[in-house]
Amino acid sequence: MDFQWTSTVYAILAFGLLYWLLSKYAFGPLFGIMEKRREMVQEQITTAENNRKASEKFLVDQQAALEQARKDAYDIIEQAKTTSVKQADDIVKTAKVEATRLKDEAVKDIESEKNKAIAVLRGEVGGLSVKIASKIIEKQIDEKSQEKLVGNYLKEVGGRS
């Protein structure tokens, strides 16, 4: 096989012409498309990273909000317990005051009824004393017997009250 340098030159010229045509019409648009694709992939990676960071921040915020909600719920429960204990104490205090008031009124009513009963008994004693005196006069008993009889009767009536 003979080496022919002219065919090599033609091949190099053809290759150069083909390379120039490809770089002018094919490589430019092809490299442009590839560059756009690279930029789009880079943009998607950046967007994904930003979304991941935002998601992490959102997760931290949500955990903080959940913790705050738990704390608020605990505070509300504690406040409700405190309020219920205070209300129970107030109710007991009011009941004691009312019971004391009713007891005092009952004691006053009893004292009043006792005084009325004593007044009625004194009236009856006076009436009975008159009856006794009239019987004694009828029988003509001396004064000492009358005093003794009235004293015994008063002791008997006084012992019952």
Side-chain angles (χ1 to χ4, degrees), residues 53-103:
K53 287 179 183 176
S55 296
E56 287 176 356
K57 184 181 182 305
F58 182 72
L59 179 62
V60 168
D61 291 346
Q62 289 301 313
Q63 287 174 341
L66 180 61
E67 191 61 34
Q68 183 63 35
R70 285 183 181 147
K71 183 182 177 291
D72 290 346
Y74 179 77
D75 290 345
I76 289 169
I77 290 170
E78 288 301 314
Q79 184 180 9
K81 285 180 183 177
T82 304
T83 302
S84 66
V85 167
K86 184 177 183 270
Q87 286 176 344
D89 290 344
D90 289 346
I91 290 170
V92 168
K93 182 180 174 185
T94 303
K96 285 181 180 179
V97 168
E98 184 65 17
T100 303
R101 186 187 64 80
L102 289 174
K103 179 183 168 190

Side-chain angles (χ1 to χ4, degrees), residues 10-154:
Y10 287 133
I12 290 174
L13 286 175
F15 180 76
L17 179 66
L18 181 62
Y19 181 76
W20 177 76
L21 288 172
L22 285 175
S23 45
K24 184 170 185 170
Y25 296 109
F27 290 151
L30 182 64
F31 287 147
I33 291 171
M34 289 176 67
E35 183 61 27
K36 286 181 183 177
R37 177 76 177 145
R38 187 191 65 76
E39 289 173 0
M40 184 177 73
V41 168
Q42 186 62 36
E43 184 180 312
Q44 288 176 345
I45 290 172
T46 304
T47 303
E49 183 65 24
N50 290 339
N51 288 342
R52 184 187 61 79
K53 287 179 183 176
S55 296
E56 287 176 356
K57 184 181 182 305
F58 182 72
L59 179 62
V60 168
D61 291 346
Q62 289 301 313
Q63 287 174 341
L66 180 61
E67 191 61 34
Q68 183 63 35
R70 285 183 181 147
K71 183 182 177 291
D72 290 346
Y74 179 77
D75 290 345
I76 289 169
I77 290 170
E78 288 301 314
Q79 184 180 9
K81 285 180 183 177
T82 304
T83 302
S84 66
V85 167
K86 184 177 183 270
Q87 286 176 344
D89 290 344
D90 289 346
I91 290 170
V92 168
K93 182 180 174 185
T94 303
K96 285 181 180 179
V97 168
E98 184 65 17
T100 303
R101 186 187 64 80
L102 289 174
K103 179 183 168 190
D104 291 344
E105 285 181 9
V107 168
K108 286 179 185 176
D109 289 346
I110 290 170
E111 190 66 32
S112 173
E113 290 298 318
K114 178 183 168 186
N115 290 338
K116 287 179 186 176
I118 289 173
V120 169
L121 284 176
R122 284 187 181 156
E124 288 179 9
V125 167
L128 289 175
S129 295
V130 170
K131 286 182 184 178
I132 290 173
S134 64
K135 285 183 181 180
I136 290 175
I137 292 175
E138 287 176 7
K139 294 182 180 179
Q140 295 182 355
I141 300 179
D142 64 355
E143 273 185 38
K144 286 187 180 182
S145 298
Q146 181 180 2
E147 284 179 14
K148 187 176 178 184
L149 187 59
V150 169
N152 286 340
Y153 182 74
L154 287 176

